[in-house]
Amino acid sequence: MVQELRRLKESASQTAGPYVHIGLTPNFGGIEGVYPHDLGAQPVNEKTKGERITVKMRIVDGAGTPLKDALVESWQADAEGLYNSPSETRGTADPNFQGWGRYPSEMDTGEIVFETIKPGRVPFPDGRMMAPHISLWIVARGINLGLATRMYFSDEETANAEDPVLTRLEHQNRVSTLIARRDGGAYVFDIHLQGDKETVFFDI
Amino acid sequence: MRNVRPETGGFFQRDRTWQPPAFTPGYKTSVMRSPQRAPVSFPHTLSETTGPVFGHHILGERDNDLTLNFAKPGESAIGPRIIVYGRVLDERGAGVSNVLLEFWQANAGGRYRHKKDGYLAPLDPNFGGCGRTITDANGNYFFRTIMPGAYPWPNGINDWRPAHIHFSLFGHGFVQRLITQMYFDGDPMIWQCPIVATIPERRAIEGLIAALDMQATVPMDARAYKFDIVLRGRHSTLFENRMEGN
Ligand SMILES: [Fe+2]
């Protein structure tokens, strides 16, 4: 016998289900008057520093149908590459940018459109710089454990080419699934849950 | 309040044999929504070890009382009155402070206040179904609500969800993010539910069943259920050789 480590096990995940809006975006879901506004609906304000960008996203299932009941959360650095978090020890992030957003799919089209700022670069643990990216977390009916992925930017070719996460992917032909394409004033990013175009998801 | 230095280490690897897999054909919606390729791993960076913070100032007085937070003045939601309380811990057994918990549930008849819920059980005009709170310095939380009802759902021709409350939690890092459901002590419906059955191990399911705690009840008011939730543990940075510029 040896000493016990006495570790606990992480609580098991369960799907967010079809009524996730009640809990996480009640105003969007038609429950008004309980909270003044839905958390994460407006990540930028007029004082936030950095380049304003618009992101247009869809979550697409294995049959090619956009999910109309999904919810996406985003987490990103500010324009200088600093996170607004106590675990950020390199400096103080822009106080006018929380860095986190929460977006339900439109119930009739499945579209998700939001405004944020282009994040700065953040180092990998070995000191190499990662390309600008937004971390995404996706939940929905039929998804048992929230899916983690990242969105990179098509107009950051040099940074993307040296990004430590993108370059370590064994199947380099899948890198494109992580890159939002610039289309006029917006970045367009489709997340494919399965099939030939399946997005790279992370076990992190 | 103690002045604790924030932790900066990476998180324990997630045990994917303990968590439900993506493809669970007994829960039919997962079939078309489950990634089929192996997810990719990499060492945690600041993008994973940091996460948003929510201050207690966002909370309204009735955010943690679902019996009142949608009710007309002087009225309250219909159903057995309960208190849900517990601790948010991490895999090291440490309480996790400042965790935003959000919860949502059906009313006592099993009906959600949602335009896509067409179940014939009636809406309760005094029940919205959402609440939230933030853990204290030791990871404790509580809220008041009513016991939700079981409800039928389209999967097999006669599948019913056991009574449950949905929970969403933020830890200190974005990769600790978790959504789960709480079930109730003694409910035979738990063991017939295809969504519960996506969890491979019985012990992991038992970890989602809240215990009736008669010692925590408020006499002549509400019974209490204890529900602890465990988030991923964090590596200590104490032993690390710090790399230059890190
Ligand atoms: Fe539910």
Side-chain angles (χ1 to χ4, degrees), chain A residues 18-100:
Chain A
Y19 308 124
V20 61
H21 313 106
I22 297 174
L24 302 190
T25 57
N27 291 287
F28 172 85
I31 297 178
E32 279 155 22
V34 180
Y35 308 147
H37 55 84
D38 292 334
L39 291 179
Q42 294 287 350
V44 283
N45 64 38
E46 63 285 353
K47 291 191 214 144
T48 308
K49 295 192 195 97
E51 181 197 343
R52 298 298 189 275
I53 59 170
T54 301
V55 178
K56 285 188 188 168
M57 211 178 268
R58 295 186 314 161
I59 322 287
V60 182
D61 73 11
T65 310
L67 272 57
K68 294 167 180 149
D69 51 11
L71 181 116
V72 178
E73 288 184 0
S74 65
W75 175 239
Q76 64 168 97
D78 71 6
E80 303 296 321
L82 292 169
Y83 281 102
N84 197 334
S85 168
S87 300
E88 170 63 88
T89 55
R90 298 168 301 152
T92 305
D94 181 355
N96 288 300
F97 186 58
Q98 190 192 12
W100 172 80

Side-chain angles (χ1 to χ4, degrees), chain A residues 6-24 26 28-37 39 60-63 67-69 73-75 83-90 98 100 102 107 122-126 130 133 135-137 139-147 150 165 168-169 174 193-198 200-204, chain B residues 6-8 12 14-16 18-22 24 27 29-37 39-54 58 63 69-70 89-93 100 102-104 112-117 128-132 166 168 170 172 174-175 177-181 183 195-196 198-199 204 208 229-232 234 243 246:
Chain A
R6 288 201 193 88
R7 295 266 191 261
L8 304 175
K9 297 292 285 184
E10 186 188 22
S11 295
S13 170
Q14 292 270 261
T15 180
Y19 308 124
V20 61
H21 313 106
I22 297 174
L24 302 190
F28 172 85
I31 297 178
E32 279 155 22
V34 180
Y35 308 147
H37 55 84
L39 291 179
V60 182
D61 73 11
L67 272 57
K68 294 167 180 149
D69 51 11
E73 288 184 0
S74 65
W75 175 239
Y83 281 102
N84 197 334
S85 168
S87 300
E88 170 63 88
T89 55
R90 298 168 301 152
Q98 190 192 12
W100 172 80
R102 176 183 272 173
M107 290 189 206
V122 176
F124 201 64
D126 62 10
M130 296 190 283
H133 64 274
S135 297
L136 301 171
W137 185 73
V139 293
R141 178 173 67 100
I143 295 177
N144 293 324
L145 176 66
L147 297 170
R150 284 182 175 189
V165 171
R168 72 191 280 128
L169 296 181
R174 300 189 66 208
L193 298 178
Q194 57 177 240
D196 290 344
K197 292 183 276 186
E198 183 177 311
V200 173
F201 295 102
F202 296 122
D203 173 19
I204 43 174
Chain B
E7 293 191 283
T8 55
F12 296 178
R14 182 168 255 156
D15 184 348
R16 290 195 168 240
W18 175 263
Q19 291 292 348
T24 47
Y27 175 21
T29 315
S30 76
V31 171
M32 277 295 174
R33 296 183 170 196
S34 42
Q36 293 165 336
R37 307 188 192 210
V40 173
S41 295
F42 56 84
H44 287 171
T45 74
L46 282 149
S47 305
E48 287 73 43
T49 58
T50 58
V53 180
F54 302 92
I58 67 165
D63 282 8
N69 70 8
F70 193 78
L89 305 157
D90 74 11
E91 289 170 300
R92 300 172 299 185
L100 173 66
E102 296 161 290
F103 13 85
W104 66 102
Y112 282 98
R113 186 172 286 281
H114 194 284
K115 57 189 80 156
K116 290 197 176 156
D117 187 359
C130 61
R132 61 187 180 186
H166 297 263
S168 159
F170 288 82
H172 295 169
F174 199 52
V175 294
R177 194 82 181 80
L178 183 70
I179 280 185
T180 187
Q181 301 181 26
Y183 303 99
I195 288 179
V196 172
T198 62
I199 302 171
L208 299 183
I229 304 152
V230 181
L231 301 179
R232 290 170 69 179
R234 187 158 214 173
M243 269 177 278
N246 192 12

Side-chain angles (χ1 to χ4, degrees), chain B residues 219-240:
Chain B
M220 307 307 286
D221 177 351
R223 287 173 301 158
Y225 283 88
K226 190 215 66 162
F227 187 55
D228 290 343
I229 304 152
V230 181
L231 301 179
R232 290 170 69 179
R234 187 158 214 173
H235 296 293
S236 167
T237 48
L238 285 178
F239 327 128
E240 274 176 20

